[in-house]
């Protein structure tokens, strides 16, 4: 039986579509992609789309970004929400913009894990229904399947760890910046014990995932990985302090909500500036380069928040449990 139509809408509300998932089964099985390109055009650590029965009814308020010669991403130019994907297999919708899931979505593996350098998010989503998920180095089912213990210490040793800068940028290159190691200034005038954004005795930044409705809508995906980095530690490529509107940065701001910044050319999520503390932005972890996707020499991962607002609750539960197990190790 074909599932019931469901509403898909962007963060700012400019784009609202009714879509029908292309399946006759009560369950859709998906492989999530960890490649460098997907992380850098999204700001997430891995992504997948869900197939739909037909093309969106109206694309005039969406912007297309050519990912490859045969792959196009469609996002809202007013808020950065990724909504649709078109390739040789047809149209698909980003899961985070759906109001609900009319079917179960289950992961059946991870592809292009080799690009992460450290396993990325796959180390926390290593199982589904207590069954170990396969991890492919490159394309699923056509490339080497990585061992459960990958990456080993030899691989991890090759990841850049001593650099005073951690570079970041979007897929199109319009947004480029770097962060620096925490200093006393990073405490923002508070004692270290109260600076919740600093971890490992003030040597790393706290990082985690958010599955709130706003983050899902703004990014287009189930969950968004953020790192809390004080503005005094974020710099443009030329060494100047990061500022709004630099390069291809655009902003979306709802009344009473945070300021979100994204790339106006490829749609990558970049920053979130809370109203309560505008000098302490969240940085999209999927944009970091050269330190492994999880950037553990810089970040200490904590947990998933706002799990009650998740649409794919099974994925969020598996991720949360995986993080807890990993933390105990």
């Amino acid at each position: 039986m074909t599932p019931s139509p469901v509403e898909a809408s962007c963060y700012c509300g400019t784009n609202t579509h009714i879509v029908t998932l292309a399946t006759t089964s009560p369950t859709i099985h998906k492989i999530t992609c960890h490649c460098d390109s997907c992380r850098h055009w999204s700001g997430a650590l891995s992504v997948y789309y869900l197939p739909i029965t037909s093309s969106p009814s109206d694309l005039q308020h969406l912007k297309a970004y050519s990912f490859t010669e045969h792959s196009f991403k469609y996002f809202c130019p007013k808020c950065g929400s990724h909504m649709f994907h078109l390739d040789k297999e047809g149209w698909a919708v980003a899961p985070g913009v759906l109001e609900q899931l009319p079917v179960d979505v289950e992961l059946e593996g991870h592809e292009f894990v080799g690009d992460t350098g450290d396993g990325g998010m796959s180390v926390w989503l290593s199982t589904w229904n207590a069954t170990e998920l396969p991890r492919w180095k490159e394309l699923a089912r056509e490339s080497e399947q990585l061992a459960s213990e990958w990456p080993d210490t030899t691989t991890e040793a090759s990841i850049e760890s001593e650099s005073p800068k951690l570079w970041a940028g979007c897929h199109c290159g319009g947004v480029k910046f770097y962060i620096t190691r925490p200093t006393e200034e990073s405490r923002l005038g508070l004692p270290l014990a109260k600076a919740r954004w600093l971890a490992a005795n003030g040597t790393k930044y706290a990082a985690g995932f958010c599955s709130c409705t706003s983050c899902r809508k703004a990014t287009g995906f189930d969950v968004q990985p953020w790192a809390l980095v004080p503005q005094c530690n974020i710099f443009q490529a030329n060494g100047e302090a990061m500022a709004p509107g630099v390069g291809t940065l655009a902003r979306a701001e709802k009344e009473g909500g945070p300021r979100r910044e994204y790339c106006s050319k490829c749609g990558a999520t970049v920053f979130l500036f809370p109203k309560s503390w505008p000098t302490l932005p969240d940085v999209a972890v999927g944009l970091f380069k050269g330190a492994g996707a999880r950037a553990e020499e810089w970040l200490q991962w904590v947990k998933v928040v706002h799990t009650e607002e998740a649409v794919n609750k099974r994925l969020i539960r598996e991720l949360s449990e995986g993080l807890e197990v990993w933390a105990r190790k």
Side-chain angles (χ1 to χ4, degrees):
M1 179 181 294
T2 302
S4 301
V6 62
E7 182 178 296
S9 60
C10 66
Y11 174 68
C12 70
T14 299
N15 292 277
T16 299
H17 298 261
I18 303 300
V19 300
T20 301
L21 298 184
T23 181
T24 56
S25 169
T27 302
I28 292 180
H29 294 90
K30 293 300 298 181
I31 291 170
T32 186
C33 184
H34 298 252
C35 76
D36 289 339
S37 293
C38 282
R39 298 199 318 275
H40 296 156
W41 61 251
S42 68
L45 284 180
S46 73
V47 302
Y48 69 89
Y49 284 81
L50 298 171
I52 54 178
T53 56
S54 60
S55 63
S57 57
D58 183 3
L59 296 174
Q60 65 174 331
H61 298 300
L62 291 170
K63 184 172 184 176
Y65 177 66
S66 180
F67 178 41
T68 68
E69 183 180 356
H70 303 291
S71 179
F72 300 88
K73 313 294 181 184
Y74 289 82
F75 68 94
C76 175
K78 292 186 177 181
C79 66
S81 294
H82 280 277
M83 296 199 70
F84 298 105
H85 173 219
L86 175 64
D87 62 13
K88 61 183 180 181
E89 295 183 0
W91 285 93
V93 64
V97 299
L98 297 177
E99 293 300 317
Q100 60 180 340
L101 282 178
V103 300
D104 291 331
V105 176
E106 295 192 358
L107 291 190
E108 60 177 3
H110 304 271
E111 65 180 359
F112 289 98
V113 177
D115 280 14
T116 67
D118 60 6
M121 190 172 164
S122 74
V123 302
W124 301 317
L125 271 174
S126 60
T127 62
W128 195 274
N129 289 335
T131 300
E132 184 173 342
L133 293 175
R135 301 188 302 163
W136 288 279
K137 185 176 182 180
E138 295 176 352
L139 192 65
R141 302 188 179 91
E142 296 183 17
S143 64
E144 173 190 354
Q145 190 169 324
L146 298 170
S148 59
E149 61 269 18
W150 188 91
D152 57 22
T153 54
T154 303
T155 304
E156 292 175 340
S158 67
I159 295 175
E160 180 181 327
S161 60
E162 299 300 325
S163 173
K165 301 176 182 178
L166 177 57
W167 286 91
C170 66
H171 187 265
C172 72
V175 178
K176 298 177 183 178
F177 62 96
Y178 64 86
I179 66 172
T180 56
R181 302 279 182 179
T183 63
E184 187 171 347
E185 185 183 3
S186 308
R187 302 178 187 179
L188 303 181
L190 292 180
L192 180 58
K194 292 187 177 182
R196 60 180 177 80
W197 52 92
L198 299 180
N201 198 31
T203 62
K204 296 182 180 182
Y205 299 109
F209 292 90
C210 184
S211 57
C212 77
T213 301
S214 292
C215 282
R216 283 193 298 102
K217 293 283 188 177
T219 63
F221 301 100
D222 294 302
V223 64
Q224 174 59 34
W226 295 112
L228 286 165
V229 183
Q231 199 165 10
C232 61
N233 292 99
I234 307 175
F235 298 89
Q236 300 176 48
N238 62 7
E240 296 181 5
M242 199 64 188
V246 170
T248 54
L249 269 180
R251 65 167 65 184
E253 196 166 3
K254 286 185 174 182
E255 184 176 355
R259 184 176 91 236
R260 295 177 180 271
E261 297 190 355
Y262 58 96
C263 174
S264 61
K265 183 176 180 180
C266 66
T269 294
V270 183
F271 300 118
L272 182 153
F273 290 84
K275 284 282 188 182
S276 58
W277 211 323
T279 58
L280 183 61
D282 292 329
V283 181
V285 177
L287 303 184
F288 289 138
K289 303 177 179 181
R294 297 195 309 275
E296 288 189 82
E297 291 293 330
W298 289 77
L299 309 178
Q300 183 164 305
W301 291 87
V302 185
K303 60 182 179 179
V304 186
V305 298
H306 299 298
T307 57
E308 72 283 356
E309 297 182 35
V311 169
N312 190 340
K313 295 187 182 299
R314 185 52 186 267
L315 184 148
I316 299 304
R317 184 165 64 251
E318 296 278 3
L319 175 60
S320 297
E321 292 174 356
L323 267 169
E324 292 174 5
V325 171
W326 173 82
R328 289 196 295 269
K329 292 180 180 180

